[in-house]
Amino acid sequence: MSDFPILLQKPETLLPKLGASGSLYVSAFFGTVTAGQTVLASDGPRFIWYADSANAVYSQGGKFYKQTAKGFAAEVQTSPFVEAGRRSLFMARVAEVEMKWLLGILAGSSGTGFALVIGSEIAEFIVTNRNDFTKWTAQYRAVLEARDYLKRFAPTLYEKVFNSILHRVFRDWWSNVPDAITSEAVAFGVGVVIGGVGKKVAAGRFSLWALIFLVVEQLCVRFALSVSPEAFKLTEAEYRRTAAQIIEKLKGAGVNISDQDIKKIVDEVRGHPNEIRKAYDLMKASFSK
């Protein structure tokens, strides 16, 4: 392989597979660089997406490149702005979880389109949007944890509410999102939606997660927060009112659910009030803000 940079035509398929770990030793003067750093090379600033002892992948000017570690290190060392280059190693550092946001955005969009939006100012992009990304990541994690917990105790609630809404949020990108509940996997999932529809539209998608919380909250308040045996009894009128409220909320968000589904959900909640309360508590901190 040549030591010169090679243009990557489809970085959105390559980079998510590589991850955001690894490092590349440049020299005693420059030290070691890792993914998430901006360094100054002979042709200007480069944002590193991946680096190891063999290769580096970086973006610059709206395009993505792969280069041998030897070639990359040489171009950093021969930068005409050596002192600025040395300082830039400690600037614009993006954390590993934040790199997962970026990799998710990349996976949900075209690499060229993504790069043109944020150019080489990727750290600035993260700083500007960090609060929203952090909030959505925390909420998504809470939903996944509650969903995983309820899978055994409330299968209808799991399928008709949690899974239905998650599929509406992710739509065509569902297959790109891992099911694991780790910080990296959750951040990647949030990034996939942002990359697919853009930040403004993503905000509307992510509001559907709050709908999951509202449905569980309504069920929990009705059945799981009271210790009175009467709390587990529903008159026909009360049941119809509860069912109508839940159906209205879900159908308003484009989620189809039947009266029979609601009856099954209510029975599940009445049968496992403590478990529903636990799922509610898992989500409460992230959504009550």
Side-chain angles (χ1 to χ4, degrees), residues 68-85:
T68 64
K70 177 184 175 183
F72 187 90
E75 293 193 17
V76 171
Q77 293 180 75
T78 57
S79 166
F81 312 101
V82 173
E83 179 61 20

Side-chain angles (χ1 to χ4, degrees), residues 4-43:
F4 291 104
I6 297 173
L7 179 66
L8 293 178
Q9 299 296 337
K10 293 186 177 181
E12 67 273 18
T13 61
L14 171 67
L15 283 172
K17 296 176 183 177
L18 294 176
S21 59
S23 61
L24 188 163
Y25 177 75
V26 176
S27 69
F29 180 76
F30 285 95
T32 299
V33 298
T34 62
Q37 287 183 288
T38 299
V39 298
L40 199 60
S42 57
D43 56 354

Side-chain angles (χ1 to χ4, degrees), residues 10-201:
K10 293 186 177 181
E12 67 273 18
T13 61
L14 171 67
L15 283 172
K17 296 176 183 177
L18 294 176
S21 59
S23 61
L24 188 163
Y25 177 75
V26 176
S27 69
F29 180 76
F30 285 95
T32 299
V33 298
T34 62
Q37 287 183 288
T38 299
V39 298
L40 199 60
S42 57
D43 56 354
R46 298 176 175 184
F47 181 82
I48 304 172
W49 288 84
Y50 179 81
D52 61 23
S53 59
N55 299 287
V57 179
Y58 66 93
S59 61
Q60 182 185 60
K63 296 181 180 180
F64 289 75
Y65 301 89
K66 180 179 180 182
Q67 189 174 17
T68 64
K70 177 184 175 183
F72 187 90
E75 293 193 17
V76 171
Q77 293 180 75
T78 57
S79 166
F81 312 101
V82 173
E83 179 61 20
R86 186 187 68 80
R87 291 200 307 269
S88 74
L89 292 177
F90 306 99
M91 298 168 57
R93 186 184 297 271
V94 174
E96 188 167 348
V97 170
E98 295 172 340
M99 280 298 298
K100 289 295 183 179
W101 286 337
L102 293 171
L103 290 171
I105 293 172
L106 190 60
S109 65
S110 73
T112 302
F114 171 57
L116 288 174
V117 169
I118 62 174
S120 62
E121 302 300 325
I122 294 177
E124 181 180 339
F125 175 81
I126 284 291
V127 169
T128 301
N129 295 280
R130 180 177 282 138
N131 289 339
D132 283 335
F133 289 2
T134 300
K135 174 184 68 177
W136 293 331
T137 301
Q139 291 176 344
Y140 180 38
R141 184 187 187 101
V143 166
L144 288 182
E145 288 177 344
R147 167 181 173 258
D148 192 54
Y149 183 76
L150 288 176
K151 186 175 182 179
R152 182 159 56 96
F153 302 107
T156 310
L157 183 60
Y158 167 88
E159 179 63 33
K160 296 296 182 178
V161 176
F162 281 78
N163 278 6
S164 293
I165 289 178
L166 286 174
H167 275 276
R168 278 197 59 76
V169 171
F170 288 101
R171 295 188 180 175
D172 297 338
W173 310 288
W174 180 254
S175 61
N176 290 337
V177 182
D179 223 18
I181 308 175
T182 65
S183 297
E184 292 77 13
V186 170
F188 182 80
V190 170
V192 165
V193 179
I194 296 169
V197 298
K199 181 172 176 276
K200 289 185 178 180
V201 178

Side-chain angles (χ1 to χ4, degrees), residues 212-277:
I212 295 177
F213 173 70
L214 291 175
V215 170
V216 173
E217 182 181 47
Q218 184 173 351
L219 292 167
C220 188
V221 168
R222 182 64 183 85
F223 298 110
L225 295 181
S226 175
V227 296
S228 170
E230 285 73 25
F232 297 94
K233 298 177 183 178
L234 274 181
T235 66
E236 182 65 22
E238 287 173 327
Y239 166 74
R240 289 189 177 280
R241 184 166 57 251
T242 300
Q245 290 171 347
I246 294 175
I247 289 173
E248 181 181 6
K249 286 178 180 177
L250 292 174
K251 286 191 173 180
V255 177
N256 291 321
I257 191 166
S258 67
D259 288 327
Q260 187 63 29
D261 292 329
I262 296 296
K263 185 177 186 307
K264 289 180 181 178
I265 290 173
V266 169
D267 288 342
E268 291 168 358
V269 175
R270 285 194 293 191
H272 301 92
N274 293 331
E275 287 76 13
I276 302 303
R277 172 65 185 270

